[in-house]
């Protein structure tokens, strides 16, 4: 008789967890016993008990969504954190502006951000990726690509007759980050490729969707870089119309870190020589 009751209880528990998973209540399926024990310890009422379960499930579901958004954003790993950016190294950069952009109000207002800096390594990509990560953490569907990757992908779509499908990767997200324009000129030598970039910029502009763009190409040199003055003019018109311009003119942080590394090794070798 006792064995029959045990089997019945086990069957009910299994059925309960199966129903939880079917309803998408993954946390409850895994931790229901701890939740029941906690409720018993605190003598919780029915409403309080159910409320805590719902809140826990909502928090767990939100966390799964954030993880999904970050994974599908294709942001480079490890992620760039805004807290890790050395603002003291770039004293000319308006820190208050960056913090204001981190509120993501620019997305709500359908504005965009253009990071410009002639020198590589000044932190354009770090800041852009940090803001994109914050967007993911706030529930915005975000997508990351470099400029050359985007154009190569769409160019392949022209030949494979999959352009419309590939375009949706760049036009559907609420926030698109196009990084590193100016790093690979070899893939931008064909005039029609500038038109492909225009298609993405124009579609997002018409759909009132935000864009983050980073480049080390000065505005006057975009035409030479993209190879098509008319298309370039149309791209510039749309990007600059509703963009917050963030210019970073300062030293290269990568060069600074490299110099520190060389100095560190030089000091170690000197210490070894003196020891010998």
């Amino acid at each position: 008789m006792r064995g029959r009751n045990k089997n019945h209880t086990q069957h009910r528990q299994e059925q309960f967890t199966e129903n939880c998973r079917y309803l998408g209540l993954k946390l409850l399926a895994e931790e229901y016993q701890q939740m029941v024990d906690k409720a018993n310890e605190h003598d919780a009422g029915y409403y309080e008990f159910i409320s805590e379960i719902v809140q826990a499930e909502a928090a767990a579901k939100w966390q799964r969504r954030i993880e999904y958004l970050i994974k599908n954003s294709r942001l480079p790993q490890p992620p760039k954190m805004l807290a890790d950016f050395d603002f003291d190294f770039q004293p000319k950069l308006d820190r208050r502006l960056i913090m204001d952009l981190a509120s993501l109000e620019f997305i709500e207002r359908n504005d965009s951000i253009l990071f410009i800096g002639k020198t590589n390594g000044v932190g354009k990509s770090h800041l852009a990726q940090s803001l994109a990560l914050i967007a993911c953490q706030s529930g915005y569907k975000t997508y990351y690509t470099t400029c050359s990757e985007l154009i190569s992908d769409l160019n392949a779509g022209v030949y494979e007759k999959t352009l419309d499908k590939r375009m949706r990767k760049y036009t559907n997200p609420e926030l698109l980050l196009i990084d590193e324009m100016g790093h690979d000129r070899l893939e931008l030598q064909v005039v029609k490729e500038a038109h492909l970039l225009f298609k993405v910029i124009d579609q997002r502009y018409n759909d009132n969707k935000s864009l983050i763009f980073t480049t080390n190409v000065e505005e006057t040199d975009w035409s030479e870089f993209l190879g098509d003055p008319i298309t370039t003019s149309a791209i510039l018109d749309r990007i600059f119309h509703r963009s917050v311009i963030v210019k970073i003119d300062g030293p290269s942080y990568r060069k600074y870190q490299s110099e520190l590394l060389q100095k560190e090794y030089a000091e170690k070798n000197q210490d070894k020589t003196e020891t010998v």
Side-chain angles (χ1 to χ4, degrees):
M1 187 71 175
R2 184 178 298 173
R4 184 182 302 173
N5 290 336
K6 182 178 180 181
N7 290 337
H8 178 66
T9 300
Q10 183 176 356
H11 175 71
R12 288 182 60 188
Q13 290 175 338
E14 291 174 353
Q15 188 177 43
F16 175 77
T17 55
E18 287 178 8
N19 287 338
C20 286
R21 292 192 177 97
Y22 174 74
L23 293 171
L25 304 175
K26 298 180 181 180
L27 184 67
L28 183 59
E30 297 173 358
E31 301 184 9
Y32 71 91
Q33 190 59 57
Q34 295 94 309
M35 293 179 178
V36 170
D37 293 340
K38 181 180 177 182
N40 287 331
E41 288 176 8
H42 295 85
D43 196 24
Y46 295 125
Y47 174 80
E48 182 182 356
F49 177 52
I50 294 174
S51 178
E52 287 190 5
I53 290 176
V54 172
Q55 289 179 12
E57 278 294 345
K61 184 174 182 179
W62 177 255
Q63 185 57 38
R64 290 195 299 271
R65 173 168 170 75
I66 299 306
E67 292 170 358
Y68 171 84
L69 289 172
I70 293 175
K71 179 180 179 181
N72 285 273
S73 71
R74 293 184 68 253
L75 280 166
Q77 298 297 318
K80 299 291 186 182
M81 310 296 292
L82 188 57
D84 294 334
F85 187 82
D86 190 351
F87 284 94
D88 293 333
F89 190 75
Q90 299 293 357
K92 294 181 181 179
L93 178 64
D94 188 344
R95 182 171 185 167
R96 289 174 299 179
L97 172 61
I98 301 302
M99 292 300 132
D100 184 52
L101 294 174
S103 71
L104 305 182
E105 185 180 346
F106 75 95
I107 298 179
E108 294 299 319
R109 296 176 56 180
N110 305 316
D111 293 333
S112 296
I113 306 173
L114 177 60
F115 286 99
I116 303 177
K118 292 184 290 185
T119 305
N120 290 324
V122 295
K124 299 184 296 294
S125 292
H126 186 135
L127 290 172
Q129 291 176 32
S130 296
L131 293 176
L133 178 62
I134 294 172
C136 290
Q137 294 168 337
S138 300
Y140 290 102
K141 185 177 180 181
T142 303
Y143 194 77
Y144 170 91
T145 182
T146 64
C147 188
S148 61
E149 285 176 345
L150 180 148
I151 292 178
S152 294
D153 183 37
L154 295 184
N155 201 34
V158 172
Y159 289 101
E160 296 174 6
K161 301 187 185 307
T162 57
L163 180 60
D164 289 342
K165 179 181 178 181
R166 292 173 187 255
M167 276 283 295
R168 287 194 288 272
K169 287 193 298 186
Y170 309 108
T171 57
N172 283 351
E174 294 165 282
L175 176 64
L176 174 67
L177 167 51
I178 303 178
D179 202 6
E180 299 180 349
M181 175 184 157
H183 285 250
D184 193 348
R185 294 175 181 268
L186 294 178
E187 296 185 23
L188 293 168
Q189 293 178 352
V190 182
V191 172
K192 65 181 177 183
E193 294 183 339
H195 179 65
L196 292 174
L197 177 61
F198 169 76
K199 282 178 70 68
V200 173
I201 301 297
D202 182 58
Q203 185 64 59
R204 295 191 64 83
Y205 179 83
N206 292 331
D207 291 343
N208 291 317
K209 290 185 175 179
S210 297
L211 171 75
I212 299 179
F213 206 100
T214 78
T215 180
N216 59 6
V217 180
E218 289 290 311
E219 180 182 352
T220 54
D221 298 328
W222 279 43
S223 179
E224 177 187 353
F225 177 77
L226 293 175
D228 181 354
I230 296 177
T231 302
T232 298
S233 177
I235 291 173
L236 285 169
D237 180 61
R238 284 155 178 77
I239 289 181
F240 278 84
H241 180 211
R242 291 202 298 256
S243 286
V244 178
I245 311 299
V246 182
K247 291 188 176 182
I248 309 179
D249 295 320
S252 169
Y253 193 72
R254 283 194 289 268
K255 182 179 179 182
Y256 168 71
Q257 288 183 314
S258 175
E259 291 172 350
L260 287 181
L261 183 63
Q262 305 313 314
K263 182 179 179 181
E264 179 183 341
Y265 272 87
E267 290 175 350
K268 285 183 179 179
N269 290 332
Q270 184 178 355
D271 290 341
K272 288 180 181 179
T273 302
E274 292 175 354
T275 302
V276 174

